[in-house]
Amino acid sequence: MLESADVVSAENVPPDVVTMSSEVQVWNEDTARQMNVALVFPVDADGSNANRVKLSILSQMGMSMLGRKVGDVVADGTRIDKLLYQPEAAGDFNR
């Protein structure tokens, strides 16, 4: 997957692309459940808050979301509905 990625500088990442430390709102067709997900490093992963899951970038779902856009369907029938926060779009290049 990484072999096919387009590498761009942080300043040139489109604002609708999910990146590391992004927070997204997702909808799962199978469970009819909406939730907010933050992509984090494994050490920061935490699923204890059902309304805002901190999802490891190394999980299957985390890897499937990275580089995707709003409207894309990722693993397990989950659709990215909204990008709530993207560090690059916010000018936060050190997060």
Side-chain angles (χ1 to χ4, degrees):
M1 182 162 158
L2 287 178
E3 297 83 24
S4 64
D6 292 329
V7 178
V8 297
S9 67
E11 294 82 8
N12 292 322
V13 173
D16 62 343
V17 172
V18 178
T19 63
M20 187 64 200
S21 299
S22 287
E23 295 181 27
V24 298
Q25 184 178 77
V26 298
W27 172 259
N28 184 288
E29 286 291 328
D30 296 338
T31 63
R33 184 172 173 215
Q34 183 179 49
M35 71 175 132
N36 294 344
V37 175
L39 286 182
V40 299
F41 290 106
V43 68
D44 297 320
D46 182 3
S48 64
N49 183 343
N51 294 325
R52 184 175 179 267
V53 174
K54 293 180 182 178
L55 183 67
S56 169
I57 193 66
L58 297 181
S59 68
Q60 180 181 0
M61 179 66 76
M63 286 190 282
S64 70
M65 293 177 73
L66 191 63
R68 297 295 193 96
K69 294 182 178 186
V70 172
D72 285 351
V73 176
V74 296
D76 301 329
T78 300
R79 181 182 67 231
I80 300 171
D81 278 347
K82 185 186 274 186
L83 193 55
L84 303 171
Y85 173 79
Q86 184 212 61
E88 294 81 4
D92 190 0
F93 301 112
N94 296 317
R95 185 169 179 185

